[in-house]
């Protein structure tokens, strides 16, 4: 795969945190590794060495509170995303674009059994588009949104029978540039966005 992927773990505690990193691959197989994270430190896990040539999702469990981020590098660009602390049955992703871009919806099923998932694309113009998929147990699924909502801007609602995790990745300039973000499992009456330029 043309990506270098890192799982980055911050331990701001005064003692060692033991972290278990489990990779969930598309075929439903998993690979788990355990690391001691030194006190007041950051630890980097190079996923390419552990699950080479794979598409995967990641679950991190620690015996102390830590913070996790996933960074991916490709060509001269990259994107990163802070992890979410729990799967959920509903996810909301406000940004998606297939106009001069490729957008992927990435779904993780941490459950042992299969999970039906309903995806609703809310477009800027026109009626919603609804698609249904089944996620195999302990797997990750890639949904190429360009196949279902071509040449448009949209947001996504994900609904599932059991808790899953949803993230969106968008690539432009023939894959030379991109960004990725997790969904939100809740709606709110007030939001703050710190960055603008």
């Amino acid at each position: 795969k043309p990506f270098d992927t890192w799982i980055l773990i911050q331990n701001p505690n005064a003692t060692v945190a033991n972290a278990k990193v489990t990779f969930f691959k598309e075929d439903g197989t998993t690979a788990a590794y355990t690391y001691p994270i030194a006190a007041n430190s950051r630890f980097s896990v190079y996923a390419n060495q552990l699950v080479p040539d794979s598409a995967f999702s990641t679950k991190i469990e620690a015996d102390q509170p830590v913070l996790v981020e996933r960074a991916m590098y490709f060509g001269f660009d990259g994107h990163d995303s802070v992890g979410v602390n729990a799967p959920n049955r509903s996810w909301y992703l406000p940004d998606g674009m297939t106009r001069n871009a490729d957008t992927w919806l990435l779904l993780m099923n941490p459950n042992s059994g299969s999970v039906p998932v309903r995806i609703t694309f809310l477009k800027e113009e026109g009626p919603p588009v609804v698609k249904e998929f089944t996620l195999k147990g302990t797997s990750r699924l890639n949904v190429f949104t360009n196949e279902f909502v071509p040449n448009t801007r949209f947001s996504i609602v994900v609904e599932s029978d059991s808790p899953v995790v949803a993230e969106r990745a968008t690539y432009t300039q023939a894959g030379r540039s991109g960004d990725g973000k997790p969904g939100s499992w809740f709606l709110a009456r007030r939001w703050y966005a710190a960055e603008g330029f």
Side-chain angles (χ1 to χ4, degrees):
K1 306 287 182 184
F3 297 96
D4 287 310
T5 299
W6 296 82
I7 305 301
L8 312 168
I9 306 173
Q10 178 192 65
N11 177 17
N13 302 289
T15 56
V16 172
N18 295 293
K20 180 181 179 182
V21 178
T22 304
F23 298 99
F24 294 72
K25 296 190 278 187
E26 290 177 303
D27 63 2
T29 61
T30 63
Y33 303 87
T34 302
Y35 304 97
I37 315 300
N40 298 305
S41 74
R42 163 245 177 94
F43 189 79
S44 303
V45 178
Y46 185 40
N48 292 53
Q49 290 181 335
L50 304 176
V51 282
D53 197 32
S54 297
F56 57 88
S57 295
T58 314
K59 178 181 181 180
I60 297 89
E61 302 167 282
D63 59 4
Q64 294 194 64
V66 297
L67 184 63
V68 174
E69 191 167 339
R70 186 263 307 130
M72 296 174 64
Y73 301 97
F74 45 95
F76 296 101
D77 201 0
H79 59 67
D80 65 355
S81 177
V82 173
V84 297
N85 64 2
N88 210 279
R89 291 182 179 175
S90 297
W91 289 95
Y92 305 94
L93 301 105
D95 181 43
M97 183 172 69
T98 53
R99 189 170 295 161
N100 300 315
D102 292 329
T103 294
W104 298 84
L105 174 64
L106 313 165
L107 300 171
M108 174 188 187
N109 177 13
N111 307 286
S112 59
S114 297
V115 176
V117 176
R118 177 186 173 97
I119 300 169
T120 303
F121 299 96
L122 305 177
K123 300 186 293 180
E124 285 191 347
E125 298 178 356
V129 174
V130 178
K131 297 294 175 182
E132 295 184 351
F133 297 87
T134 298
L135 277 65
K136 290 185 288 190
T138 61
S139 74
R140 165 244 177 89
L141 175 70
N142 305 327
V143 178
F144 186 41
T145 68
N146 294 53
E147 294 180 359
F148 308 113
V149 281
N151 195 35
T152 190
R153 297 184 182 95
F154 56 91
S155 64
I156 304 171
V157 178
V158 177
E159 300 166 293
S160 59
D161 289 355
S162 296
V164 299
V165 179
E167 187 172 336
R168 185 266 313 147
T170 299
Y171 299 96
T172 58
Q173 301 179 36
R176 293 190 298 271
S177 181
D179 76 334
K181 294 292 180 288
S184 172
W185 55 267
F186 63 91
L187 303 174
R189 293 179 181 271
R190 182 176 295 148
W191 292 90
Y192 301 92
E195 162 69 355
F197 184 71

